[in-house]
């Protein structure tokens, strides 16, 4: 599969990020709208930074099948769900973090009650957007909403991963449980983002299965790299506190498998993600390049 040079994929991702940011700006209530503090907090966390990986995957997977732009509000809604999860993950009762996306966390910049409500509000707004925006049949819209809801819930979804993560912190954790935590906590939303694009454009089952495999591999690889960055990254490069996993005695890939093996696993997963899309040839080059870019990232 012919792939664009890394510098061109970086430029492409930057362009897509700007597209998503424009849509987020359009969809979020203005900061001054009553009651202003909640809209300020929502906007603060959404626009604090962020790679916009999940919306970009959603857009790109839709484009693999059909050239269209009606998917943009769906992609932006996925970023709102992701930002909700970050705000709640940073709360004192969960990870108790002071920095996110290079800035004080939402509960530090505002207060804990506002941060909880801002997370709730972003999650709720996401589903309002998913149910009303875009140009898609009701049947496909419902498929995407159902799929995303499942991905962030308690049945092998994001909340399930977070719960098992909390339960296992400080305890010996086997490889299977660790894979479950990472795939559920982080992988399931990434997988659902990739699936959302394909579902939105009505991709047939065979195509959906390939995109699902791609999203699954990218999602797990992404969290393994996140574990590695926690060991080797700095607060400046990551925009969040580094070295926390070790201090909290969290189950991570480097802790269980070692650094070199964790990197090998992430690289193998990225290759498997690309292989899943081989039937599409050069059309899938961007998705493949994004998978490789994500495991080489430094933030
Ligand atoms: C309902 C209390 C409650 C919790 C919801 C918080 C939660 C469940 C789950 C946490 C999920 C989570 C935060 C997983 C970590 C995923 C991860 C690696 C996030 C960082 O993603 P990036 O690097 O961040 O894409 P940016 O800032 O670039 O968007």
């Amino acid at each position: 599969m012919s792939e664009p040079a890394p510098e061109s994929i970086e430029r492409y991702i930057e362009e897509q990020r700007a597209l998503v940011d424009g849509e987020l700006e359009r969809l979020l209530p203005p900061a001054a709208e009553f009651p202003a503090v909640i809209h300020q907090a929502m906007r603060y966390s959404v626009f604090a930074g962020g790679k916009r990986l999940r919306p970009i995957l959603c857009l790109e997977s839709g484009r693999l099948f059909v050239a269209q732009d009606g998917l943009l509000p769906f992609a932006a809604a996925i970023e709102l769900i992701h930002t909700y999860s970050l705000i709640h993950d940073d709360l004192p009762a969960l990870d108790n973090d002071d920095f996110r996306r290079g800035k004080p966390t939402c509960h530090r910049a505002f207060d804990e009650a506002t941060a909880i409500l801002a997370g709730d509000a972003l999650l709720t707004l996401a589903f309002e957007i998913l149910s009303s925006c875009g140009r898609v049949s009701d049947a496909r819209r419902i498929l995407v909403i159902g799929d995303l809801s499942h991905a962030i819930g308690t049945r092998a979804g994001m909340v399930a991963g977070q719960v098992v993560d909390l339960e296992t912190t400080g305890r010996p954790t086997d490889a299977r449980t660790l894979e479950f935590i990472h795939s559920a906590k982080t992988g399931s939303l990434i997988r659902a983002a990739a699936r959302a694009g394909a579902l939105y454009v009505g991709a047939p089952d065979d195509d959906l299965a390939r995109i699902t495999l791609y999203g699954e591999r990218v999602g797990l690889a992404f969290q393994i790299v996140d574990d590695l960055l926690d060991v080797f990254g700095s607060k400046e490069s990551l925009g969040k506190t580094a070295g926390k996993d070790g201090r909290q005695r969290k189950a991570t890939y480097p802790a269980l498998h070692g650094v070199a093996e964790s990197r090998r696993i992430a690289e193998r997963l990225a290759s498997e993600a690309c292989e899943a899309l081989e039937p599409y040839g050069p059309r899938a080059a961007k998705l493949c390049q994004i998978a490789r870019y994500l495991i080489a990232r430094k933030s």
Side-chain angles (χ1 to χ4, degrees):
M1 191 180 298
S2 92
E3 293 173 16
E7 62 277 13
S8 78
I9 195 70
E10 276 168 24
R11 205 168 41 242
Y12 183 77
I13 287 173
E14 199 41 52
E15 282 165 18
Q16 295 307 302
R17 207 166 81 87
L19 197 66
V20 171
D21 280 359
E23 186 67 1
L24 288 164
E25 181 59 52
R26 191 181 75 79
L27 291 166
L28 277 158
E33 186 173 320
F34 179 82
V37 69
I38 191 70
H39 299 136
Q40 283 162 9
M42 291 159 79
R43 284 179 160 268
Y44 173 82
S45 287
V46 170
F47 294 116
K51 295 179 284 297
R52 312 303 193 216
L53 152 72
R54 294 150 190 85
I56 292 172
L57 283 177
C58 171
L59 291 173
E60 218 43 57
S61 100
R63 287 179 189 135
L64 185 58
F65 304 107
V66 184
Q68 48 72 47
D69 59 1
L71 191 48
L72 196 51
F74 274 55
I78 295 172
E79 183 65 19
L80 299 183
I81 297 173
H82 169 57
T83 307
Y84 128 78
S85 81
L86 300 181
I87 294 174
H88 279 197
D89 190 48
D90 291 334
L91 287 168
L94 283 107
D95 249 10
N96 192 19
D97 229 314
D98 292 341
F99 290 97
R100 171 70 69 177
R101 294 177 160 172
K103 293 198 170 160
T105 44
C106 193
H107 65 274
R108 287 274 170 209
F110 293 82
D111 56 42
E112 207 177 323
T114 306
I116 292 170
L117 292 169
D120 294 341
L122 289 171
L123 180 62
T124 310
L125 177 61
F127 282 95
E128 185 182 338
I129 293 165
L130 291 166
S131 65
S132 58
C133 298
R135 290 188 293 277
V136 69
S137 69
D138 287 351
R140 286 187 196 167
R141 188 187 296 285
I142 288 168
L143 276 180
V144 177
I145 292 173
D147 208 64
L148 273 166
S149 312
H150 186 81
I152 61 176
T154 58
R155 292 179 160 150
M158 186 168 72
V159 174
Q162 182 75 3
V163 169
V164 180
D165 190 355
L166 289 173
E167 280 177 349
T168 52
T169 295
R171 299 200 182 143
T173 305
D174 60 48
R176 234 175 110 228
T177 307
L178 182 57
E179 188 178 321
F180 173 84
I181 293 169
H182 282 24
S183 298
K185 185 178 80 168
T186 306
S188 61
L189 183 58
I190 292 177
R191 187 181 90 137
R195 278 172 60 86
L199 285 169
Y200 184 93
V201 300
D205 286 352
D206 282 2
D207 291 320
L208 190 59
R210 288 187 197 105
I211 280 290
T212 303
L213 188 58
Y214 168 87
E216 199 171 282
R217 297 299 194 263
V218 170
L220 179 56
F222 187 84
Q223 183 57 54
I224 295 172
V225 171
D226 205 71
D227 288 355
L228 287 162
L229 288 173
D230 185 72
V231 178
F232 295 108
S234 62
K235 187 182 145 201
E236 289 66 38
S237 64
L238 299 179
K240 61 180 181 181
T241 317
K244 257 195 116 188
D245 293 343
R247 284 196 294 281
Q248 291 183 332
R249 296 199 300 129
K250 277 206 173 210
T252 66
Y253 268 67
L256 195 68
H257 298 281
V259 166
E261 181 59 10
S262 300
R263 168 107 349 243
R264 263 195 297 277
I265 295 172
E267 276 162 12
R268 196 194 66 225
L269 289 165
S271 296
E272 287 172 6
C274 293
E275 279 160 26
L277 303 186
E278 259 169 16
Y280 306 110
R283 260 167 63 210
K286 285 222 172 59
L287 280 169
C288 181
Q289 191 73 18
I290 290 170
R292 301 226 179 267
Y293 168 83
L294 289 174
I295 61 153
R297 72 198 166 97
K298 300 277 178 271
S299 67

